[in-house]
Amino acid sequence: MTACIVGWSHLPFGKREGEDAESMIVKVAADAVADAGLEPKDIDAVFLGHFNGGFEKQDFTASLVFQASDDFRFKPATRVENACATGSAAVHQGLTLIEAKKARRVLVVGVEKMTALPGKEIGETLLKASYLKEEAGIDGGFAGVFGQIAQAYFQRHGDQSDALARIAAKNTRTAWPIPMRRCARTSATSSAGPKARRTHSSPGP
């Protein structure tokens, strides 16, 4: 059986003050099912991609999908966490279930509410996705981790700052026309490219 995306929903990126993971999950779950022309009772299983790591006190968030409709009750719901690949991993879990003929219609939801914490705590929480025995003390969180990787690469292959700048400019330039971009007006300048906007996307069911 070949699976495909038949409906989707997406909230614009932003601080989303006054909202939490639950409210965002409920909104996109209901909208995605409706966009697919289905009803919650038609869904066979739910996968929620959610890193959390301490961004919010509420854990066991797969069950929050049930808040969207009573008809989701008693559906198997599983939370998937795989650091930066959390959303993709949740999609693959849904695909695997369909290909195994254990389900025909799967709802996949991805969520992350990071802005309830102060900036320093956000960095510390994200760093939990690293190997803490070696990287917990690195200044700058993940930015510092990647910075060390870049410096090690430069020492071996020479300074590649221009190449990294071109990659960053290409990423932001590619996102320019996408309505659901991460920020309404984020600028990035380098010797390799113009001002650009950034984005990220996540799947529906």
Side-chain angles (χ1 to χ4, degrees):
M1 184 183 297
T2 301
C4 61
I5 296 174
V6 297
W8 79 292
S9 178
H10 195 307
L11 297 176
F13 281 96
K15 289 187 175 181
R16 309 202 66 82
E17 295 181 3
E19 294 190 73
D20 56 13
E22 179 179 340
S23 64
M24 293 190 289
I25 289 169
V26 167
K27 172 65 174 172
V28 296
D31 289 352
V33 172
D35 186 65
L38 301 172
E39 297 180 13
K41 66 182 181 180
D42 299 321
I43 301 300
D44 298 313
V46 175
F47 289 99
L48 175 75
H50 186 207
F51 170 68
N52 195 18
F55 284 125
E56 292 196 277
K57 292 182 178 180
Q58 175 66 55
D59 229 326
F60 184 43
T61 44
S63 63
L64 296 180
V65 177
F66 299 160
Q67 301 290 68
S69 171
D70 288 343
D71 288 334
F72 280 127
R73 292 184 66 192
F74 308 118
K75 309 287 186 181
T78 305
R79 173 185 163 195
V80 178
E81 187 280 310
N82 197 26
C84 295
T86 292
S88 298
V91 171
H92 280 283
Q93 291 297 313
L95 291 171
T96 298
L97 199 68
I98 291 172
E99 291 170 355
K101 299 182 180 179
K102 298 293 186 180
R104 293 191 66 239
R105 302 181 184 95
V106 176
L107 173 66
V108 178
V109 180
V111 68
E112 207 67 63
K113 171 69 173 180
M114 300 168 57
T115 54
L117 296 180
K120 183 177 184 296
E121 292 183 32
I122 291 174
E124 292 172 349
T125 300
L126 287 172
L127 199 59
K128 292 178 183 179
S130 70
Y131 185 51
L132 291 178
K133 288 184 178 180
E134 295 181 357
E135 298 167 331
I138 295 177
D139 291 335
F142 257 113
V145 172
F146 290 124
Q148 287 194 2
I149 293 171
Q151 289 302 318
Y153 186 89
F154 291 175
Q155 290 176 9
R156 183 170 182 178
H157 301 285
D159 191 332
Q160 305 293 321
S161 296
D162 286 347
L164 292 181
R166 285 194 295 273
I167 292 170
K170 180 179 179 180
N171 289 342
T172 52
R173 186 170 60 249
T174 300
W176 187 284
I178 300 176
M180 293 293 182
R181 54 188 165 266
R182 187 179 298 270
C183 297
R185 188 74 181 178
T186 298
S187 298
T189 58
S190 75
S191 60
K195 292 182 178 179
R197 299 172 183 170
R198 298 181 296 173
T199 192
H200 176 74
S201 63
S202 61

